[in-house]
Amino acid sequence: HGSNKNALLPLAEVLHADYNLVLFDQRNSGQSFGTETTMGVRERLDLDAVVEWLRATHAPTDVAVLGNSMGAITATHAVALGLPVQALILDSAPVGVASSAQLRVESANFPLALPASWAIMLGALFRTGVDVTAADPIITIDDVGSVPVLILQGGADLAIDPTSADQLSAAAAEAGVRTEVHVCPSAGHSQLFEACADDYRAWVLGFLARTLSP
């Protein structure tokens, strides 16, 4: 949210030696069109289109999706609705949009953070016509099915619930979804690679090596 694909270039460096990559901007960001952000609800159509193009033009044996922050919401939502991929990586994924909004209000030292967060959700509904909480990962992750999920979180992340990774893993486990969780204790939101570069590389590459076809 509020960023673009250039922010993923450090992560691309981790993967590029072993995998072909596609980086893209979700709607209303970077070089993509649009004037509204729906926190993964409509953005999953963007991811669907990219994967459809990838399969039509390059016919890869396997496809993995790595989503960061709001991108993780988009990715989980898309896979839950049947996006044909073989692995899902969630970096700095919130359990839900409203809880993250509440934390951001609290961190700014404004009062009444809980009602304020729902006022933000209501404002988004009026602006976009979309319930932006509909793609919350805590709701969608149990529909991921047989796709294995790697969940990564920063221990110093103040933008999402500190138990987000554990909550998502627990919800997935109840539905029989296989997950793997790693935490970088010193990392803030979307800063895992900067804070734990060697561990991040090992977590991601190890997961993909165990998950994708050789």
Side-chain angles (χ1 to χ4, degrees):
H1 185 222
S3 186
N4 61 64
K5 61 181 179 289
N6 289 342
L8 294 178
L9 289 175
L11 308 188
E13 186 276 328
V14 173
L15 296 163
H16 190 253
D18 299 305
Y19 300 98
N20 295 311
L21 304 180
V22 177
L23 280 68
F24 75 98
D25 291 320
Q26 299 182 96
R27 61 187 61 201
N28 193 30
S29 67
Q31 295 177 308
S32 288
F33 295 104
T35 58
E36 295 178 340
T37 295
T38 62
M39 304 307 293
V41 178
R42 290 178 176 153
E43 286 78 5
R44 65 97 180 169
L45 299 172
D46 306 336
L47 177 55
D48 287 349
V50 169
V51 173
E52 181 179 356
W53 168 85
L54 179 65
R55 290 193 176 279
T57 57
H58 297 284
T61 302
D62 288 333
V63 176
V65 174
L66 187 156
N68 182 284
S69 191
M70 191 185 83
I73 302 177
T74 298
T76 308
H77 186 38
V79 174
L81 290 176
L83 183 71
V85 300
Q86 284 65 52
L88 175 61
I89 301 173
L90 307 179
D91 181 337
S92 303
V95 293
V97 176
S99 62
S100 293
Q102 180 181 346
L103 285 170
R104 289 174 184 257
V105 173
E106 289 173 348
S107 67
N109 295 317
F110 289 112
L112 303 173
L114 178 58
S117 69
W118 285 103
I120 294 170
M121 300 304 104
L122 187 60
L125 175 62
F126 285 142
R127 175 176 171 79
T128 66
V130 171
D131 175 6
V132 296
T133 68
D136 283 354
I138 198 66
I139 298 172
T140 61
I141 198 167
D142 57 359
D143 289 325
V144 166
S146 61
V147 179
V149 184
L150 173 63
I151 304 174
L152 305 174
Q153 181 168 344
D157 190 338
L158 302 180
I160 64 175
D161 189 300
T163 65
S164 287
D166 290 336
Q167 289 187 57
L168 293 175
S169 181
E174 287 187 8
V177 176
R178 179 160 58 94
T179 63
E180 180 180 327
V181 176
H182 295 286
V183 176
C184 172
S186 61
H189 190 65
S190 299
Q191 296 176 340
L192 277 80
F193 182 68
E194 291 85 346
C196 294
D198 291 340
D199 286 336
Y200 194 98
R201 189 184 303 271
W203 294 334
V204 171
L205 293 178
F207 173 75
L208 293 176
R210 293 189 297 273
T211 302
L212 303 183
S213 301

